[in-house]
Amino acid sequence: MTTPAATPETSLPWYRSPILLLALALPMLTVVAGIATYRIAARDASDNDPDAVRRVAQVQTADTASDELAARLGLTGVATFNAADGSVHVQLDRATADKALQLRLTHATQAQFDQTIALSRLANDIWAGTVIGPRHGRYRVSLHSADSGWRLVGQLDAQTDKLRLAPALGQRHE
């Protein structure tokens, strides 16, 4: 009976062991991923919603007085954006005595794309302004009266050029 020849085991140096590489690589990758996550989170640390809120313990209460005033006045409107020249026109369903209006575009995730647009009156219920630069993604749009304190809101994405503005009191916005 013949026995097979014994093959000598070749051992790797301790620093080239696959188990050691795995044991060191996983924690190092975790640290790198943690640093990357922190940098992404810290890049835009501002609050997405610029509205004034009151925070007590874990309860956040928003002031709805401007929405209630707009609902009492029966205000609604339509904002139309023209991407070619950057203009925006807002037509209110009722004329107001306000001397100045502001249209705020609040980006859903990145504050550097937020804009506040001063609107000037073209006619009794039509206002116009200019948007700076292209739109990126989804925005929360709010129309504010500087004089009487009412507000209308709506949602806008990059593909939409027209949106309905209404008071933010449990109504659905298109």
Side-chain angles (χ1 to χ4, degrees):
M1 189 173 223
T2 61
T3 60
T7 58
E9 279 192 31
T10 59
S11 65
L12 294 172
W14 66 270
Y15 55 88
R16 293 196 57 197
S17 172
I19 298 296
L20 179 64
L21 291 176
L22 185 64
L24 293 177
L26 285 177
M28 300 222 7
L29 286 174
T30 304
V31 169
V32 170
I35 291 170
T37 302
Y38 173 76
R39 292 193 63 187
I40 290 169
R43 186 179 312 151
D44 185 24
S46 67
D47 191 1
N48 180 22
D49 194 358
D51 294 338
V53 295
R54 188 171 56 105
R55 293 178 174 95
V56 177
Q58 292 186 5
V59 178
Q60 179 172 309
T61 307
D63 183 15
T64 60
S66 57
D67 300 311
E68 292 168 3
L69 179 59
R72 275 197 309 272
L73 294 173
L75 290 174
T76 58
V78 174
T80 307
F81 293 84
N82 185 344
D85 63 359
S87 67
V88 59
H89 289 84
V90 175
Q91 181 167 3
L92 297 175
D93 293 340
R94 290 189 165 189
T96 67
D98 295 298
K99 302 213 180 336
L101 294 182
Q102 286 185 342
L103 188 68
R104 292 185 191 150
L105 302 177
T106 306
H107 193 271
T109 58
Q110 298 181 4
Q112 72 256 25
F113 297 131
D114 292 356
Q115 290 188 45
T116 300
I117 303 158
L119 300 177
S120 57
R121 187 188 301 262
L122 294 181
N124 199 24
D125 57 348
I126 299 175
W127 299 76
T130 303
V131 178
I132 300 169
R135 293 192 321 255
H136 302 88
R138 190 168 182 82
Y139 289 87
R140 179 175 177 256
V141 179
S142 57
L143 179 65
H144 296 263
S145 163
D147 301 339
S148 58
W150 53 263
R151 173 180 72 173
L152 302 176
V153 297
Q155 297 289 328
L156 178 69
D157 59 30
Q159 293 79 28
T160 305
D161 289 332
K162 195 173 199 177
L163 73 126
R164 186 93 177 127
L165 297 167
L169 294 174
Q171 299 176 4
R172 220 169 157 213
H173 306 288
E174 294 130 24

